[in-house]
Amino acid sequence: MYKVSQNDVIGLIKPAIDAHTLGILAFAQILRDCGIRVEIADQDASKELDSLVGRPSIERLVRWVRAKGIDVLGFSYRLDPDRGVELFAQLVERLKSAKMLAKDGGPIKALWFAGLPPACEKAKQRVPFVDAVFHGDETYQEILEILGLPTHLVPQQASAELAYDKARLEFGTEIVKNRAYLDVAPVDRSGSPGFGTWGERVIDRVRHGIAHNLPPLMRAHVGPYAEDRSQAVALFLDWTSRLAKSGLLDVLSIGSSQLTQSHFGEDWTGLSNGGGVPINSPEEYRRVWQAARPMLVRTYAGTKRVPDMAKMHEQSLDICWHALSLWWFSKLDGRGDNSVLENLVEHFEALRHIASSGKPMEPNVPHHFAFRGCDDVGYIVSGYVAAKAAKLQGIRTLILQTMLNTPKYTWGIQDLAKARALRMLVRELEGPDFAVILQPRGGLDYFSPDMEKARAQLAAVTMLMDDIEPDDPTSPQIIHVVSYSEGVRLADPDVVQESVRITRYALSEYRRLKRKGDMPEYGKHSMVEARTRHLYEEARRMIKFIEATIPEPYSPRGLYAMMKAGVFPLPWLSACRDEFDAAVSQPVQFMHGGVQTVDKDGKPLAVSQRLFGIARNLERMGFAPQEEHGEKN
């Protein structure tokens, strides 16, 4: 195994077709923190990899390696594992032919491969002399160990900030090792008004839990799939009954299929279903509600006829709260046929119906922006404008979901700052007619394929959830438990129940350790407060600009204008790129544990520096700015 020194120059490259860059940027930051020079391949060299198979030479890549003095070459591919391994093997063959490897007298002393776990295993088989492989779930410290770098190379400030992540994973590892969580028992919530009956309100369960000092409500996403539709529905009903009998789960979230969302009640002959449980009638939803007693039940919104689907969910499922994605679940992400503006119009109509029903609404929004590379300020602003739009349409109770570990490279202190800044902003909307319930969750791609490590990560992210509002013993009110098996397979009832037990035990144990003084109050650390204040002020500046510049900003056209003008950077957006070119063309960089917008030279841009460009875009759309904003860069 080659040990990296501070004199080495590390070259990182990926095919241009793989638009996901934050993994490389996060990895590069770790090395740069340690004083090591890192070069990321330019577009010409990256494009050469796209057509590598069958290509006789790699002239541009060779020129880049020699020009930059590369000593170690790292290759990354996060898409199809087989394709990634094939490209890597072909690259190594070309490097050997060009005599670029050190054993042939060339400059490259070591090769690294980064990809999905199956790809990493195959890469080691195809290229046995690869020096290191990276699955993407390694911690900062684990990466240093793999590369043979001493931890004293990490700057003191970064080391202090990363101590939180290290402590959380150690905490989670200890909890999983002793398995005491297996003794966690169900919570008796039967005293809550209307418990388990049609018409029960989630806000009543939340209030009952707070009044009786009970743990947060536990929500989990469940949705088996089978080729035979009726078999899949029957299996889901069985799983639902088992979860109901266990008493561990409070809110069943139906993992419905794509066809359920996009073609409900239609003939599915010849259509591809994808994953999830394929429910296709109100009668099946009623059977789910019955099997779920006494759990509360919720499901996804539709991707067309959104208001009608919301009404149907009320009538057939007594849905405990609705979730709307506003811009998303449309042509924007390939989930539906609505244009973005059409989708917003339907979602606003659905909001008005939900408001008339008195049910809560969950903006299923910020993480969809983060999935496409949005910066942390954009993440926060998107959550706030979705919440304010909901309030202005008459919603009285908001379920504020915040997806942590998104992107998964995010440092814990930055996760806290993002969640806290969003919560602070949305809290400003609260009043007699508008209440907010906090519902944090782990990230979709955060969990390791190593099940034991994933269990520890689940406990670690629970510690993070409790630190969002460390002075409020009633927060969070709901926890969306992402099952630890998500990195490998769908969770069955046994895994869901174990995940709930891990979450509840970790929450209780972390609070116990803090009360005893055996665990530092990381959530109250000054560096978290400083980051929170910075993100809050930057987001507030963008919101002020939006409200001063866009007439009726909290309308379908207003939300559409925000996106089209580039308020939310979306460099990874795969669909509608021409329509939203201002969002796509705004580069981002992974910096100090978070995601930040940058200029063409990679230097961070403050919101005040971005407003001129956004204002020009709005002018071209017919929105005349009403005041000057910021200073020219």
Side-chain angles (χ1 to χ4, degrees):
M1 174 67 69
Y2 181 78
K3 289 191 175 183
V4 177
S5 77
Q6 285 185 295
N7 297 319
D8 286 326
V9 178
I10 311 300
L12 303 178
I13 190 167
K14 67 170 185 63
I17 194 174
D18 184 355
H20 297 78
T21 59
L22 280 189
I24 279 183
L25 297 175
F27 188 83
Q29 180 183 310
I30 291 173
L31 296 174
R32 287 167 177 158
D33 284 345
C34 297
I36 295 170
R37 186 176 140 210
V38 180
E39 298 287 344
I40 298 176
D42 57 26
Q43 194 71 359
D44 284 343
S46 295
K47 283 182 177 178
E48 197 168 52
L49 294 185
D50 290 339
S51 56
L52 193 60
V53 177
R55 188 183 183 93
S57 67
I58 48 172
E59 296 174 4
R60 285 175 288 185
L61 176 58
V62 167
R63 284 199 301 269
W64 173 73
V65 168
R66 292 195 181 279
K68 299 297 184 181
I70 303 298
D71 298 295
V72 179
L73 184 64
F75 172 90
S76 174
Y77 193 81
R78 303 297 301 177
L79 303 177
D80 177 72
D82 292 331
R83 172 70 173 165
V85 171
E86 183 60 32
L87 280 176
F88 181 58
Q90 293 281 348
L91 172 62
V92 173
E93 286 301 312
R94 302 297 187 280
L95 291 170
K96 288 166 65 178
S97 298
K99 298 191 180 302
M100 292 295 289
L101 302 182
K103 65 179 181 178
D104 300 317
I108 299 176
K109 304 171 187 175
L111 292 168
W112 301 337
F113 177 87
L116 299 172
C120 289
E121 296 308 309
K122 292 178 180 179
K124 288 190 289 187
Q125 295 169 10
R126 284 289 297 274
V127 186
F129 56 88
V130 63
D131 282 82
V133 298
F134 299 92
H135 297 151
D137 68 342
E138 295 85 2
T139 65
Y140 201 112
Q141 287 76 16
E142 287 169 340
I143 289 173
L144 296 185
E145 291 170 8
I146 291 170
L147 302 183
L149 288 166
T151 55
H152 73 258
L153 291 179
V154 182
Q156 185 175 358
Q157 178 65 21
S159 181
E161 292 171 335
L162 286 161
Y164 180 45
D165 292 335
K166 183 179 180 182
R168 289 191 302 110
L169 196 57
E170 288 174 349
F171 168 78
T173 301
E174 186 62 29
I175 279 178
V176 169
K177 185 168 63 177
N178 65 35
R179 289 296 197 269
Y181 66 81
L182 293 173
D183 295 329
V184 168
V187 176
D188 182 5
R189 302 185 189 273
S190 59
S192 179
F195 180 74
T197 63
W198 190 276
E200 183 190 2
R201 301 191 309 159
V202 65
I203 190 68
D204 287 333
R205 279 209 197 184
V206 168
R207 289 169 177 163
H208 175 265
I210 291 172
H212 293 82
N213 198 29
L214 302 178
L217 297 183
M218 297 286 128
R219 165 197 168 182
H221 198 63
V222 183
Y225 174 71
E227 287 294 330
D228 181 81
R229 196 189 76 80
S230 58
Q231 180 184 347
V233 173
L235 179 60
F236 179 63
L237 290 170
D238 175 66
W239 283 16
T240 299
S241 296
R242 288 168 58 186
L243 289 167
K245 289 176 183 175
S246 76
L248 288 163
L249 193 63
D250 301 294
V251 183
L252 173 71
S253 185
I254 302 174
S256 57
S257 75
Q258 174 61 34
L259 287 182
T260 299
Q261 298 164 49
S262 61
H263 290 76
F264 186 83
E266 300 174 17
D267 182 1
W268 293 358
T269 303
L271 298 177
S272 175
N273 181 62
V277 58
I279 294 174
N280 198 26
S281 71
E283 290 75 19
E284 287 173 346
Y285 270 136
R286 281 190 280 271
R287 289 165 62 194
V288 171
W289 182 86
Q290 191 61 50
R293 298 304 86 232
M295 296 185 293
L296 297 166
V297 188
R298 63 163 303 280
T299 192
Y300 281 125
T303 63
K304 64 182 180 183
R305 304 193 310 274
V306 180
D308 292 337
M309 287 288 284
K311 294 172 186 175
M312 184 273 296
H313 290 150
E314 288 279 351
Q315 295 163 1
S316 62
L317 193 63
D318 191 26
I319 189 170
C320 63
W321 74 75
H322 296 261
L324 297 179
S325 302
L326 300 179
W327 299 268
W328 304 96
F329 280 40
S330 64
K331 285 183 178 178
L332 192 62
D333 52 11
R335 299 289 292 269
D337 294 330
N338 283 342
S339 70
V340 174
L341 187 54
E342 288 170 342
N343 213 53
L344 286 164
V345 169
E346 286 200 15
H347 277 65
F348 270 68
E349 184 181 340
L351 279 172
R352 290 189 288 273
H353 164 72
I354 296 166
S356 70
S357 75
K359 292 289 180 72
M361 178 268 187
E362 172 188 337
N364 191 16
V365 168
H367 57 274
H368 284 290
F369 285 93
F371 292 161
R372 281 85 183 175
C374 190
D375 68 317
D376 293 340
V377 171
Y379 173 101
I380 294 163
V381 171
S382 74
Y384 174 84
V385 298
K388 188 164 183 178
K391 177 181 179 179
L392 293 175
Q393 295 304 309
I395 298 297
R396 296 173 63 89
T397 304
L398 189 92
I399 308 289
L400 182 63
Q401 174 172 252
T402 179
M403 185 183 287
L404 304 166
N405 329 115
T406 305
K408 63 183 175 183
Y409 319 102
T410 305
W411 294 0
I413 58 166
Q414 185 73 1
D415 246 343
L416 280 184
K418 282 169 61 179
R420 197 173 289 177
L422 175 57
R423 180 69 183 95
M424 286 167 61
L425 283 164
V426 174
R427 184 183 286 118
E428 294 172 3
L429 300 173
E430 287 187 292
D433 298 324
F434 190 70
V436 178
I437 295 172
L438 181 64
Q439 179 197 219
R441 56 164 296 172
L444 274 174
D445 69 343
Y446 170 63
F447 294 99
S448 171
D450 178 328
M451 293 293 191
E452 200 69 0
K453 183 174 182 179
R455 289 180 174 94
Q457 288 174 320
L458 180 58
V461 76
T462 305
M463 179 173 161
L464 189 63
M465 295 174 189
D466 194 50
D467 283 338
I468 295 173
E469 296 184 291
D471 292 323
D472 185 354
T474 70
S475 179
Q477 293 81 40
I478 302 174
I479 291 179
H480 181 168
V481 179
V482 179
S483 296
Y484 66 80
S485 70
E486 290 291 335
V488 178
R489 60 179 175 83
L490 289 173
D492 60 22
D494 290 340
V495 171
V496 171
Q497 290 163 29
E498 185 181 0
S499 298
V500 170
R501 284 189 163 103
I502 291 171
T503 300
R504 289 228 347 251
Y505 185 83
L507 185 66
S508 174
E509 182 65 5
Y510 182 47
R511 289 175 172 178
R512 184 187 70 82
L513 291 173
K514 285 193 292 185
R515 284 194 301 270
K516 284 185 63 182
D518 291 342
M519 180 70 77
E521 290 275 10
Y522 290 105
K524 299 180 181 180
H525 199 287
S526 59
M527 59 190 174
V528 178
E529 298 295 336
R531 285 182 180 238
T532 301
R533 177 54 53 182
H534 172 73
L535 287 174
Y536 172 87
E537 290 174 352
E538 287 286 272
R540 172 52 70 196
R541 188 169 290 115
M542 181 65 82
I543 292 162
K544 181 181 178 183
F545 166 80
I546 288 167
E547 294 182 340
T549 308
I550 303 175
E552 299 184 54
Y554 300 103
S555 66
R557 188 165 180 254
L559 267 60
Y560 177 82
M562 294 176 202
M563 189 167 197
K564 189 166 177 61
V567 170
F568 315 114
L570 297 170
W572 299 353
L573 190 68
S574 57
C576 306
R577 290 179 67 86
D578 291 339
E579 183 179 2
F580 300 104
D581 60 323
V584 170
S585 61
Q586 174 63 68
V588 300
Q589 178 70 273
F590 191 83
M591 292 182 170
H592 310 297
V595 184
Q596 191 160 341
T597 53
V598 295
D599 63 17
K600 57 183 175 59
D601 298 318
K603 296 179 180 178
L605 286 174
V607 166
S608 60
Q609 295 171 295
R610 295 177 56 209
L611 295 186
F612 289 98
I614 296 172
R616 285 194 296 269
N617 294 334
L618 287 168
E619 281 187 271
R620 285 193 287 268
M621 296 165 58
F623 297 101
Q626 299 170 24
E627 57 182 48
E628 291 295 321
H629 302 280
E631 300 175 358
K632 284 194 175 182
N633 186 21

